[in-house]
Amino acid sequence: MIVYGKQLILHLLQHRPADIETIFLAKECEPKLFSQMAKVTSKICRIDERKAQALSKGGHHQGFIAQIKDVEQASFNELKKGSFLVILDEITDVGNIGAIVRSAYAFGADGVILSGVKTCNLEAILRTSSGAAFELPIAVCASTKDMMNELKQMGFMLYGADMQGRDVKDVTFAPKKALIMGSEGKGLSPKVKEKLDAIISIKMARAFDSLNVSAATAILCDRIVNGS
């Protein structure tokens, strides 16, 4: 698997050095950083910009690219063993997903589930999450309905975010809980709402349409974990 971007390479060097196979440098880096890389792998290749663009498929590589061991998607069965899950229903923007993964990891979620989709671009999510996706399991469930039914059978309480919901400050969350966020354009579908145990919202001091889904998820995760 090819990954790129300085922040992502730094995360790998600090937290997952054994996953690094080859590092490609398209720019000079400070001696201290190069020394750190050399301790991890002897395969450090200097490449030109044309090669860097080819490896990163035109992405913003910042001069730092690495070939690493493949990262596997988590299984839904694995995530069901947790006690706090974040579920993204039909959210496909990798920028939003990456930001949400960072927040979910920071606030102690046990995993993120992408529901209502069949695949995910894990390489892009690793990059946009600044490496948090290496540490937090991510699973894909094509059927949101089946996934919700299974979580209920496992004793999870399901909380969905909607502007018309109950103020999150007034909600006491169950020990096993899943926060379900809908897509930017459509929000949660009526069929999803029917299966929820509670619909929650963030009450704002000033009138505004809504928060970006990644910002809203971060606030709700904080309230779920730390209270009001």
Side-chain angles (χ1 to χ4, degrees), residues 2-23:
I2 295 291
V3 296
Y4 55 86
K6 186 174 182 179
Q7 191 63 39
L8 190 54
I9 303 306
L10 289 174
H11 180 93
L12 285 162
L13 287 170
Q14 292 169 10
H15 301 286
R16 305 178 74 90
D19 288 351
I20 298 174
E21 295 178 343
T22 305
I23 294 175

Side-chain angles (χ1 to χ4, degrees), residues 12-171:
L12 285 162
L13 287 170
Q14 292 169 10
H15 301 286
R16 305 178 74 90
D19 288 351
I20 298 174
E21 295 178 343
T22 305
I23 294 175
F24 302 93
L25 295 177
K27 62 183 293 185
E28 293 297 323
C29 69
E30 54 269 32
K32 185 177 179 180
L33 177 56
F34 187 88
S35 177
Q36 189 178 357
M37 293 176 180
K39 290 177 182 177
V40 168
T41 178
S42 61
K43 296 180 179 179
I44 302 176
C45 304
R46 301 281 187 180
I47 58 174
D48 59 25
E49 181 60 22
R50 183 177 179 181
K51 177 68 172 177
Q53 286 292 310
L55 285 172
S56 65
K57 298 178 182 178
H60 184 46
H61 56 76
Q62 300 173 295
F64 296 85
I65 303 169
Q67 181 175 336
I68 64 170
K69 295 176 182 176
D70 286 344
V71 178
E72 298 296 330
Q73 226 171 254
S75 71
F76 177 51
N77 286 334
E78 176 189 344
L79 266 60
K80 286 192 300 185
K81 298 173 185 176
S83 59
F84 174 28
L85 302 176
V86 175
I87 298 165
L88 310 183
D89 186 40
E90 297 186 11
I91 295 176
T92 56
D93 182 276
V94 293
N96 281 332
I97 295 171
I100 289 169
V101 169
R102 288 200 304 273
S103 297
Y105 179 64
F107 288 111
D110 297 306
V112 170
I113 298 172
L114 308 181
S115 70
V117 296
K118 294 181 179 179
T119 60
C120 73
N121 186 341
L122 193 54
E123 290 182 29
I125 295 170
L126 287 168
R127 186 173 67 255
T128 57
S129 71
S130 299
F134 281 111
E135 316 305 332
L136 189 68
I138 299 173
V140 172
C141 290
S143 171
T144 302
K145 178 183 175 182
D146 291 345
M147 178 268 301
M148 293 176 74
N149 286 338
E150 284 196 53
L151 288 179
K152 280 180 171 286
Q153 290 172 8
M154 293 293 293
F156 279 87
M157 292 284 285
L158 307 181
Y159 302 88
D162 186 86
M163 289 182 67
Q164 306 306 316
R166 183 181 174 192
D167 190 342
V168 66
K169 292 180 180 179
D170 299 329
V171 178

